């Protein structure tokens, strides 16, 4: 088996049901955890036996950040939640990782995602850095398909 180089993520894209589409400079939260449940019993010989079995599965929220633009799609998506339309905000989507040649190298699909927070840029007329917005997406499952 040939050894493969680690992936270098040059940029990330978000696609939400084909409605919200944006590129990002940072993405995090690609993780899940199973609660560890300890079960203690006694076997037929009277010896104590400890088993560790998986309990509830939880998914971390996805957080993406990018330079803010005049595109309000993320703002409008978050506004649905603020207005109480969580069902309307829930959507399936993907976070897509591209390499430096702009080739798709990884795709993570999430289920029933909705924007749990949006953070706008911290701005100062004395600062020459890019104004950044951040979106956090709560979801009910993440699968890697590529």
């Amino acid at each position: 088996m040939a050894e493969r180089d680690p992936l270098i993520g040059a940029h990330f894209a978000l696609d939400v049901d084909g409605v919200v589409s944006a590129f990002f400079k940072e993405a995090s939260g690609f993780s899940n955890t199973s609660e560890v449940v300890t079960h203690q019993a006694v076997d037929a010989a009277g010896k104590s036996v400890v088993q560790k079995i998986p309990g509830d599965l939880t998914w971390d929220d996805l957080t993406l950040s990018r330079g803010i633009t005049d595109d309000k799609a993320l703002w409008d998506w978050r506004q649905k939640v603020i207005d109480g339309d969580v069902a309307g905000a829930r959507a399936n989507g993907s976070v897509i990782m591209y390499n430096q040649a702009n080739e798709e190298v990884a795709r993570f699909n999430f289920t029933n995602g909705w924007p749990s927070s949006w953070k706008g840029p911290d701005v100062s007329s004395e600062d020459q850095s890019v104004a950044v917005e951040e979106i956090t997406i709560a979801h009910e499952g993440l699968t890697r398909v590529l």
Side-chain angles (χ1 to χ4, degrees), residues 7-9 11-13 30 94-99 103-109 143-146:
L7 300 177
I8 295 175
H11 58 280
F12 307 88
F30 300 94
S94 300
V95 177
I96 307 151
M97 186 170 126
Y98 293 90
N99 64 15
E103 300 165 328
E104 185 175 329
V105 292
R107 177 181 290 259
F108 299 89
N109 292 341
T143 57
R144 181 170 176 184
V145 293
L146 179 66

Side-chain angles (χ1 to χ4, degrees), residues 20-138:
V20 175
S21 182
F23 285 92
F24 292 83
K25 67 178 189 107
E26 255 180 69
S28 64
F30 300 94
S31 60
N32 61 65
T33 304
S34 293
E35 178 184 352
V36 177
V37 177
T38 303
H39 175 74
Q40 190 166 359
V42 178
D43 67 12
K47 182 179 174 185
S48 180
V49 177
V50 176
Q51 289 180 299
K52 292 193 176 188
I53 54 179
D56 291 340
L57 174 65
T58 58
W59 300 94
D60 286 357
D61 295 342
L62 299 170
T63 301
L64 299 103
S65 59
R66 71 174 185 165
I68 195 167
T69 69
D70 61 353
D71 180 3
K72 287 181 46 203
L74 294 175
W75 176 269
D76 293 341
W77 189 30
R78 173 68 182 142
Q79 190 64 46
K80 286 183 179 184
V81 176
I82 293 169
D83 293 341
D85 185 14
V86 178
R90 285 188 184 274
N92 297 327
S94 300
V95 177
I96 307 151
M97 186 170 126
Y98 293 90
N99 64 15
Q100 294 160 325
N102 206 35
E103 300 165 328
E104 185 175 329
V105 292
R107 177 181 290 259
F108 299 89
N109 292 341
F110 60 86
T111 306
N112 286 329
W114 56 276
S116 62
S117 72
W118 177 89
K119 181 184 181 304
D122 297 324
V123 295
S124 168
S125 61
E126 296 177 4
D127 188 359
Q128 296 298 308
S129 61
V130 173
V132 174
E133 73 177 328
E134 182 178 284
I135 187 106
T136 300
I137 302 168

